[in-house]
């Protein structure tokens, strides 16, 4: 059987985050409050499921899910906490429910046994409150007298005898007066909380509207771009695919951002509603002492975010200068490739990972920085412990982080160096023998040697003219079997090794090569990825 908390989630509307009221079911099978769903469709001007985003050709004729409503009603009845009853202290046989508690007598009375307090002159002077279980909390523990006053100097409830002792010169007021003042202060707190709820509900509507507007703009731009691309020659088809793919990814990112913002807003609304309920409860309470005791927690500010400047951009052109790119496409193929390379670099930079060098793999001649972000070749072999992960013959080092799925990207500065090797290597590569980087097996790298540049993998070794990067970007798509290299400063694509089959964990690979009499002594530096 499901737990009560789990059952509560199953009976909870994903829009208002409360238990269903008049639940209706969409054609895709998800349930919402009827009012919440209709309001959502009115605000967004679209007819789709708020949860899975499935769109409907026409607005469904929604009927209340009677079976689900009965389950919800049963759950509400079962989960409603039973009211605790305070029983009369005087009744002997069958105890009756107490209606009042007397702080002077320190007893609780039913209607019958309370009657003398309304009739007998001496008893009329006693202090009566609504029946409470914890009557001792309303009595001064020192003098065993009712707590009838509030000391504003010490912020505590006291009895009359206390004012003749340690609280003699303090500012004390009747407890009812202090309670009323705090109620008045809570009115403003409640107003602020209710306004915060409204602001966040409005922000949810703004975000939902922005996402839908952006989606319509995206669809419009996609349609326009397809028409333009259909008139271009076949050599531009790859460009079209890349641009459209990037548009889809940016749209998904915008929707994910909106989804996260909405969840955060709904969480704050839930917390604010809870605070509002507590405020409402104590605003009408006759239990003055309890109000004063819980006032600090009720009047404290709610820890929420300022949402006034947060929004989801609905303008596609602000994220993707598509029309400008398409105009350039019509001019020259060279310009096309340049713009695609720049856009492509930005799209892969979103997969940036934090790479740190692994000292356990470093060749004994290599010098690593304390932060694990720089590597250079030293002149003296260091005394390092034996390690099966260490490269004994080749001056190289791996990153600590390995990757066996998905996509990842990192950047390395090689400015001032003439020789270097950067890329990825499979985990099982032989680390105890010299690695022939010109006859690659298990490495996918870009390298510089004597001012020449080449890309090598299991199947190719290709010299690259005019590469000359000062900062190299490496992007791996594990499932697609590709390794791409970028000139980061020029924001251009250098080369992509494709049609590879990765079957084991890949690690970032770094080799600063020989110093060449000091000409190649600069360090290789793993730099933070800054997308422009």
């Amino acid at each position: 059987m499901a737990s009560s908390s789990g059952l509560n989630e199953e009976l909870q509307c994903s829009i208002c985050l409360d238990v269903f009221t008049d639940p209706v079911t969409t054609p895709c099978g998800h349930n919402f409050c009827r009012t919440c769903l209709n309001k959502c469709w009115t605000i967004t001007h679209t007819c789709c499921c708020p949860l899975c985003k499935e769109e409907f050709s026409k607005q469904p004729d929604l009927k209340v899910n009677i079976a689900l409503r009965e389950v919800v009603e049963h759950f509400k009845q079962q989960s409603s906490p039973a009211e605790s009853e305070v029983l009369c202290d005087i009744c002997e046989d069958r105890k009756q429910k107490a209606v009042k508690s007397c702080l002077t007598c320190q007893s609780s009375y039913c209607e019958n046994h309370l009657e003398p307090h309304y009739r007998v002159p001496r008893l009329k002077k006693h202090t009566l409150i609504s029946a409470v279980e914890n009557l001792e909390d309303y009595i001064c523990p020192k003098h065993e007298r009712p707590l009838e006053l509030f000391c504003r100097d010490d912020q505590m409830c006291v009895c009359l005898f206390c004012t003749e002792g340690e609280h003699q010169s303090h500012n004390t007021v009747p407890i009812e007066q202090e309670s009323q003042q705090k109620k008045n202060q809570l009115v403003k707190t409640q107003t602020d909380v209710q306004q915060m709820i409204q602001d966040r509900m409005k922000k949810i509507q703004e975000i939902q509207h922005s996402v839908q507007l952006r989606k319509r703009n995206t669809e419009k731009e996609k349609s326009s771009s397809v028409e333009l691309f259909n008139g271009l020659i076949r050599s531009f088809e790859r460009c079209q695919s890349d641009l459209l793919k990037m548009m889809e990814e940016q749209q998904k990112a915008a929707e994910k951002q909106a989804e996260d913002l909405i969840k955060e807003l709904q969480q704050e609304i839930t917390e604010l509603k809870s605070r509002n309920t507590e405020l409402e409860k104590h605003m009408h309470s006759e239990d003055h002492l309890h109000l004063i005791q819980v006032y600090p927690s009720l009047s404290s500010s709610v820890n929420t975010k300022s949402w006034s400047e947060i929004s989801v951009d609905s303008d596609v052109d602000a994220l993707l200068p598509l029309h400008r790119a398409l105009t350039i496409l019509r001019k020259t193929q060279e310009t096309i490739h340049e713009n695609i390379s720049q856009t492509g670099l930005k799209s892969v930079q979103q997969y940036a990972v934090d790479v740190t060098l692994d000292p356990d793999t470093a060749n004994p001649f290599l010098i690593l920085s304390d932060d694990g972000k720089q590597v250079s070749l030293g002149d003296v072999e260091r005394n390092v412990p034996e390690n099966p992960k260490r490269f004994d013959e080749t001056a190289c080092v791996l990153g600590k982080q390995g990757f066996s799925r998905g996509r990842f990207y990192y950047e390395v500065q090689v400015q001032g160096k003439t020789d270097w090797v950067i890329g990825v290597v499979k985990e099982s590569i032989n680390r105890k023998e010299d690695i022939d980087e010109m006859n690659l097996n298990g490495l996918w790298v870009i390298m510089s040697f004597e001012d020449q540049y080449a890309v090598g993998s299991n199947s190719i070794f290709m010299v690259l003219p005019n590469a000359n990067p000062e900062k190299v970007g490496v992007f791996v798509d594990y499932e697609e079997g590709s390794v791409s290299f970028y000139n980061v400063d020029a924001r251009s694509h250098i080369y992509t090794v494709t049609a590879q089959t990765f079957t084991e964990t890949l690690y970032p690979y770094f080799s600063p090569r020989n110093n060449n009499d000091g000409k190649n002594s600069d360090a290789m530096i793993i730099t933070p990825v800054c997308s422009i």
Side-chain angles (χ1 to χ4, degrees):
M1 181 178 292
S3 65
S4 60
S5 60
L7 183 59
N8 191 4
E9 293 177 359
E10 294 173 2
L11 301 181
Q12 188 180 70
C13 173
S14 60
I15 298 177
C16 67
L17 300 180
D18 280 335
V19 177
F20 290 123
T21 301
D22 291 335
V24 294
T25 304
T26 58
C28 58
H30 293 115
N31 300 305
F32 306 93
C33 298
R34 180 165 58 182
T35 302
C36 293
L37 186 58
N38 288 332
K39 187 175 182 180
C40 178
W41 286 348
T42 300
I43 293 172
T44 61
H45 304 290
T46 58
C47 186
C48 69
C49 174
L51 200 59
C52 69
K53 308 302 181 186
E54 179 179 340
E55 294 190 7
F56 313 122
S57 57
K58 63 178 182 178
Q59 183 166 328
D61 183 17
L62 299 174
K63 304 291 185 182
V64 174
N65 188 326
I66 298 176
L68 180 57
R69 184 175 62 183
E70 292 178 353
V71 172
V72 170
E73 291 301 324
H74 179 72
F75 172 77
K76 288 181 178 178
Q77 295 174 4
Q78 294 295 322
S79 60
S80 298
E83 294 185 2
S84 60
E85 283 192 355
V86 180
L87 300 179
C88 176
D89 293 327
I90 308 302
C91 292
E92 294 182 355
D93 296 330
R94 183 178 179 183
K95 294 282 187 180
Q96 299 296 316
K97 181 179 179 181
V99 294
K100 292 288 183 180
S101 295
C102 178
L103 297 183
T104 308
C105 301
Q106 299 185 27
S107 298
S108 297
Y109 301 99
C110 64
E111 287 283 2
N112 292 334
H113 291 114
L114 182 66
E115 186 272 335
H117 279 75
Y118 295 132
R119 176 174 47 82
V120 179
R122 177 177 57 83
L123 297 179
K124 285 182 179 181
K125 298 179 181 180
H126 289 192
T127 304
L128 298 176
I129 63 172
S130 298
V132 294
E133 289 182 331
N134 52 334
L135 193 56
E136 64 276 5
D137 293 343
Y138 296 76
I139 306 299
C140 175
K142 183 175 181 181
H143 302 108
E144 296 185 355
R145 300 288 296 173
L147 295 170
E148 299 176 306
L149 301 172
F150 182 77
C151 176
R152 288 179 171 172
D153 292 344
D154 294 334
Q155 290 293 299
M156 61 182 296
C157 297
V158 297
C159 71
L160 284 172
F161 286 2
C162 292
T163 61
E164 298 174 0
E166 56 184 307
H167 298 273
Q168 184 174 10
S169 59
H170 291 185
N171 179 17
T172 58
V173 295
I175 198 170
E176 292 82 2
Q177 179 181 339
E178 182 67 18
S179 175
Q180 185 58 49
Q181 178 180 333
K182 283 181 164 43
K183 281 187 178 181
N184 295 338
Q185 293 170 344
L186 288 179
V187 169
K188 182 180 183 305
T189 302
Q190 184 182 33
T191 302
D192 293 342
V193 169
Q194 291 173 344
Q195 183 61 48
M196 292 169 73
I197 292 173
Q198 293 300 319
D199 291 345
R200 278 147 184 78
M201 293 184 69
K202 184 178 179 181
K203 179 59 70 172
I204 288 177
Q205 295 172 4
E206 290 177 5
I207 292 173
Q208 290 174 333
H209 179 70
S210 297
V211 170
Q212 294 301 323
L213 179 60
R214 192 187 191 287
K215 186 173 184 179
R216 289 197 296 270
N217 291 342
T218 298
E219 293 301 325
K220 183 178 179 181
E221 293 297 334
K222 285 169 60 180
S223 177
S224 174
S225 66
V226 169
E227 292 178 4
L228 291 171
F229 271 117
N230 286 337
L232 299 176
I233 60 176
R234 293 182 60 185
S235 62
F236 293 169
E237 290 178 353
R238 176 63 183 273
C239 172
Q240 174 190 7
S241 175
D242 290 346
L243 283 173
L244 293 180
K245 182 178 180 181
M246 184 181 66
M247 290 173 64
E248 292 286 355
E249 290 176 349
Q250 290 182 337
Q251 173 62 28
K252 290 178 181 178
E255 291 180 352
K256 180 61 168 62
Q257 179 194 10
E259 181 182 345
D260 292 343
L261 290 174
I262 289 173
K263 285 182 179 179
E264 192 170 351
L265 281 161
Q266 289 174 334
Q267 177 63 32
E268 287 196 7
I269 289 173
T270 300
E271 294 173 359
L272 290 169
K273 282 183 177 180
S274 176
R275 174 62 67 88
N276 186 61
T277 300
E278 285 295 314
L279 290 169
E280 190 70 25
K281 172 183 175 183
H282 291 286
M283 289 294 297
H284 300 91
S285 172
E286 293 181 6
D287 191 343
H288 308 298
L289 176 61
H290 184 61
L291 172 64
I292 291 173
Q293 292 172 336
V294 301
Y295 174 78
S297 63
L298 290 176
S299 60
S300 62
S301 60
V302 183
N303 185 18
T304 57
K305 182 186 293 186
S306 174
W307 291 90
S308 57
E309 301 300 325
I310 298 177
S311 62
V312 176
D313 193 351
S314 61
D315 187 0
V316 176
D317 287 337
L319 298 175
L320 177 63
L322 180 61
H323 289 301
R324 178 172 61 84
L326 293 175
T327 301
I328 295 173
L329 282 175
R330 293 191 184 98
K331 296 179 181 181
T332 64
Q333 187 172 3
E334 179 181 353
T335 308
I336 291 172
H337 288 315
E338 179 182 349
N339 280 273
I340 293 176
S341 296
Q342 294 185 12
T343 305
L345 178 59
K346 184 175 181 179
S347 67
V348 300
Q349 284 178 325
Q350 67 179 303
Y351 299 103
V353 294
D354 183 16
V355 175
T356 304
L357 300 174
D358 185 357
D360 289 341
T361 67
N363 180 273
F365 280 94
L366 294 185
I367 302 173
L368 275 57
S369 61
D370 292 338
D371 63 359
K373 297 295 183 181
Q374 301 185 31
V375 57
S376 59
L377 186 68
D379 296 326
V380 179
E381 183 176 9
R382 297 178 299 117
N383 183 17
V384 294
E386 289 289 336
N387 194 307
K389 297 181 0 180
R390 191 178 309 283
F391 289 86
D392 292 339
E393 301 298 330
T394 304
C396 64
V397 61
L398 303 186
K400 285 184 178 179
Q401 301 82 1
F403 303 88
S404 57
R405 60 185 177 86
R407 301 168 179 172
F408 64 95
Y409 173 86
Y410 66 93
E411 294 177 353
V412 184
Q413 180 178 307
V414 291
Q415 183 179 9
K417 294 189 67 62
T418 58
D419 291 9
W420 44 263
V421 183
I422 301 169
V424 292
V425 60
K426 66 180 182 181
E427 184 175 23
S428 64
I429 193 167
N430 192 331
R431 308 182 186 207
K432 302 306 177 183
E433 296 181 358
D434 187 29
I435 297 175
D436 183 359
E437 293 163 344
M438 307 293 284
N439 184 19
L440 301 168
N441 182 20
L443 287 90
W444 296 264
V445 295
I446 183 172
M447 63 186 71
S448 168
F449 52 97
E450 299 178 358
D451 294 328
Q452 296 188 59
Y453 301 88
V455 166
S457 71
N458 279 336
S459 56
I460 66 166
F461 185 87
M462 178 175 292
V463 176
L464 304 171
N466 304 320
N468 197 30
E470 293 186 344
K471 183 183 290 187
V472 177
V474 181
F475 172 67
V476 178
D477 188 326
Y478 194 96
E479 281 75 20
E480 198 169 281
S482 64
V483 181
S484 301
F485 303 100
Y486 292 86
N487 184 330
V488 178
D489 294 328
R491 303 199 62 76
S492 61
H493 172 251
I494 298 176
Y495 194 84
T496 295
V497 181
T498 59
Q500 304 298 298
T501 301
F502 301 133
T503 59
E504 52 184 282
T505 303
L506 301 179
Y507 287 87
Y509 178 88
F510 310 86
S511 175
R513 305 289 288 270
N514 295 326
N515 284 340
N516 292 341
D517 298 326
K519 296 179 181 179
N520 189 43
S521 59
D522 288 351
M524 301 171 68
I525 304 173
I526 303 171
T527 59
V529 175
C530 300
S531 178
I532 300 176

